[in-house]
Amino acid sequence: MDKKKDTMIKDAIILCVITLVLGAVLAGVYSITKEPIEQAQAKANNEACASVVQEGDQVQDADAELLKQASEYLQQHDLSNQQVSDGGENLLTHVEIEEVHPTNNGGLVFLATATKGYGGDIGFALGVGADGAITGIAITSEAETAGLGANCENKEWQAGFKGKVAPSNPAKNMYYKSTPEEESSQVQALSGATVTTRAITNAVKGIMFFADTVRGAE
């Protein structure tokens, strides 16, 4: 019994040592790769922001005050652009905005996350011109289903957002499956990926509501 007990203790010690060593190795790898990963993501975000503005326009530095205003707006309004009542679902459940950048031509560029994708969060950059129309969208990260929701990275589909404005009826979706109810504000849904489409367009709609307030639109 004593010999068996000694063996079990030795095995437990060995497992503890292995666990500690592996933990140290993983921590070391994380510390080495963390900065390059962050730099790569920052570069990708900057390129995405530059790609969603009109030709000749330039993106300025992030505006902390606009970000604060955007966060407050999303917290106070719902998907129909109404004031949230007690216990109601606000826009923050659909979209989180990380950065707001003014542009030289009076537009805005948002770095944001659609929070209700089929595979989780979907990162994107959205440009909105001074006239309130979308100047471009670029997906920066996603984990959607290959061949379905992952098609949100298709440049042709993203191009469908260009020129769209917030829906005249705020309660309406910004996508359609067969026939658009309002071509000025709706994009074609991704085939077989309604959840992905809804997540992105709901996030975009929330941003458009806020952008209109910055412009002073009614």
Side-chain angles (χ1 to χ4, degrees):
M1 287 292 292
D2 289 341
K3 186 176 181 180
K4 185 176 181 181
K5 185 177 181 180
D6 289 343
T7 300
M8 291 175 65
I9 292 173
K10 288 178 182 178
D11 290 343
I13 292 173
I14 291 171
L15 285 173
C16 287
V17 171
I18 291 173
T19 301
L20 289 171
V21 171
L22 288 176
V25 170
L26 289 173
V29 170
Y30 175 75
S31 64
I32 292 172
T33 59
K34 182 175 181 289
E35 187 173 347
I37 290 173
E38 289 177 347
Q39 290 176 347
Q41 186 61 58
K43 182 175 182 292
N45 288 343
N46 289 336
E47 291 174 350
C49 287
S51 73
V52 299
V53 298
Q54 295 175 329
E55 187 175 353
D57 200 359
Q58 289 187 324
V59 181
Q60 300 175 12
D61 291 339
D63 188 312
E65 180 58 30
L66 279 176
L67 176 60
K68 179 182 176 183
Q69 292 174 19
S71 297
E72 291 174 350
Y73 189 89
L74 297 179
Q75 186 174 27
Q76 296 167 2
H77 293 80
D78 63 18
L79 268 176
S80 296
N81 206 24
Q82 300 297 309
Q83 289 280 341
V84 177
S85 57
D86 291 342
E89 187 178 77
N90 62 30
L91 285 165
L92 283 174
T93 63
H94 298 276
V95 58
E96 296 175 358
I97 299 175
E98 287 85 38
E99 296 179 12
V100 183
H101 297 258
T103 76
N104 288 356
N105 290 347
L108 296 170
V109 171
F110 299 84
L111 270 176
T113 300
T115 61
K116 292 198 172 185
Y118 187 83
D121 291 346
I122 302 172
F124 64 97
L126 182 76
V128 182
D131 60 354
I134 294 173
T135 54
I137 189 173
I139 303 299
T140 57
S141 63
E142 53 87 11
E144 303 300 275
T145 306
L148 296 171
N151 288 334
C152 65
E153 296 209 45
N154 185 298
K155 299 300 182 184
E156 184 177 346
W157 185 72
Q158 293 176 25
F161 283 84
K162 191 171 183 178
K164 302 301 182 184
V165 296
S168 58
N169 179 352
K172 293 292 186 181
N173 289 322
M174 282 192 72
Y175 70 91
Y176 68 92
K177 292 183 179 180
S178 55
T179 304
E181 296 179 72
E182 190 172 274
E183 290 188 9
S184 62
S185 65
Q186 293 181 316
V187 298
Q188 173 74 60
L190 289 164
S191 179
T194 302
V195 174
T196 304
T197 302
R198 184 186 301 117
I200 295 172
T201 54
N202 280 348
V204 168
K205 185 166 75 162
I207 291 173
M208 298 293 284
F209 290 156
F210 171 70
D212 278 351
T213 68
V214 177
R215 293 173 48 245
E218 294 298 327

